[in-house]
Amino acid sequence: TQRDDDEVDLCVLHHLPFGHHTGTGWEIESKWSVERLHIPPDMFNKGLDLSWFDCDAVIPIHGCFLAWVDYYQGMLLVDVLHADVDPHLRFIPLPTETLLSFRVYLDEGLPDPARCVSVTDSGIIKLVCIITGTSPSFTIATWTLVDMDHGVWEKDGTAMEDSQFWGLYAGQSLPQVQPSFPVVSLVDPDVICFLLKEEDNNNFWMIEVNMRTKVLESSAIYINEEEEERYSSKKTPRNFFYGHYFIPSKFSEYLEKDAITR
């Protein structure tokens, strides 16, 4: 939370490495800590505008950093585990080319459909932008953060225009529309998942594209709950899908029986 023009508060919830038994099971003990972080003046010279900073995503990096990402400004970075020793925020602006575009999707609290910053399982940080124009109607471009200390982004040589993207369908009956909500694969940094929405109805397709080999690796249509074979017309639909919120996660790794000991 912002305290003033040159300080913010970082609130961290710590899970203690022990707990206590309640009679029915183990209960983990936790506590909060608040660290006051300083904003170096040179961050504003790099283009940071806190008054217009929208947090599109929060991503963990290398096991100790957290990054708050504004898809149209850059990343605010802090070493959460050592914030008491080095109480400074860092700012990594996005590539210059991406700063020439403005946010067009203004619904507060909803994800941006044209941009994404993701971290792969091996720690590679990727930026994906769907850039719109008159001709071509869109271009998909990606960048890799090759030097986090100096904030250096390198543009990947894998850009793809609309005709090339639709050419990947190879006869499949997928809608020729602008893709949205890109998500980088946790396993392969060259593979990006996209959402396709048919213009005449509410059908959504999820596809995987390898940007380097230019191959459509998989596709699947989203099936609404009421369309399933065993769905009863008397039931009230519980799950409403609005075409976003595809979040890659390693959360399932912690759903083991001995997770309490980890």
Side-chain angles (χ1 to χ4, degrees):
T1 56
Q2 185 171 359
R3 175 178 290 273
D4 50 39
D5 291 338
D6 58 2
E7 288 184 335
V8 295
D9 284 340
L10 173 67
C11 303
V12 180
L13 180 63
H14 301 269
H15 290 293
L16 304 182
F18 53 85
H20 63 274
H21 202 277
T22 62
T24 58
W26 284 91
E27 182 174 312
I28 297 296
E29 295 185 3
S30 306
K31 70 174 183 177
W32 286 94
S33 68
V34 179
E35 302 291 344
R36 186 172 301 179
L37 305 178
H38 304 291
I39 304 175
D42 67 331
M43 288 173 55
F44 300 103
N45 298 331
K46 295 179 179 179
L48 174 64
D49 186 344
L50 278 179
S51 61
W52 289 97
F53 192 93
D54 288 330
C55 186
D56 293 295
V58 180
I59 57 176
I61 300 175
H62 300 162
C64 60
F65 293 98
L66 275 182
W68 290 262
V69 187
D70 182 318
Y71 289 156
Y72 294 83
Q73 287 196 58
M75 302 193 303
L76 286 172
L77 195 70
V78 63
D79 185 341
V80 177
L81 299 184
H82 305 95
D84 54 338
V85 178
D86 182 20
H88 290 87
L89 278 173
R90 293 171 52 198
F91 178 62
I92 300 177
L94 295 184
T96 303
E97 182 180 345
T98 68
L99 298 176
L100 301 177
S101 301
F102 298 97
R103 188 184 298 272
V104 295
Y105 196 66
L106 300 178
D107 288 352
E108 185 176 356
L110 296 181
D112 188 278
R115 297 192 174 190
C116 177
V117 173
S118 302
V119 182
T120 69
D121 193 40
S122 60
I124 298 173
I125 302 170
K126 301 277 287 190
L127 165 66
V128 183
C129 292
I130 302 171
I131 305 168
T132 57
T134 54
S135 181
S137 60
F138 66 85
T139 300
I140 303 169
T142 64
W143 287 260
T144 300
L145 186 63
V146 295
D147 187 341
M148 193 171 72
D149 292 332
H150 297 91
V152 179
W153 294 89
E154 184 176 281
K155 191 173 185 178
D156 302 324
T158 57
M160 192 180 300
E161 296 182 353
D162 50 9
S163 59
Q164 189 176 18
F165 182 85
W166 293 327
L168 301 178
Y169 295 177
Q172 296 189 51
S173 56
L174 298 172
Q176 290 195 0
V177 296
Q178 178 179 314
S180 59
F181 300 105
V183 176
V184 180
S185 165
L186 278 173
V187 179
D188 188 340
D190 293 325
V191 174
I192 302 176
C193 303
F194 296 96
L195 202 71
L196 305 176
K197 182 182 183 301
E198 296 183 10
E199 295 179 346
D200 298 331
N201 51 50
N202 287 322
N203 287 338
F204 293 90
W205 290 83
M206 295 164 282
I207 66 172
E208 272 191 332
V209 173
N210 190 308
M211 295 291 291
R212 186 166 300 280
T213 62
K214 304 295 190 291
V215 171
L216 177 64
E217 297 200 343
S218 66
S219 63
I221 190 170
Y222 176 81
I223 299 177
N224 291 309
E225 183 181 14
E226 57 268 25
E227 296 175 349
E228 296 180 357
E229 291 183 0
R230 290 178 294 178
Y231 177 79
S232 171
S233 59
K234 297 180 180 180
K235 291 176 58 179
T236 301
R238 295 172 299 167
N239 302 315
F240 295 93
F241 181 63
Y242 299 101
H244 48 247
Y245 298 121
F246 287 98
I247 304 174
S249 174
K250 296 175 64 178
F251 181 76
S252 58
E253 289 187 3
Y254 301 96
L255 299 180
E256 300 180 11
K257 292 182 179 179
D258 62 343
I260 193 68
T261 65
R262 295 194 169 205

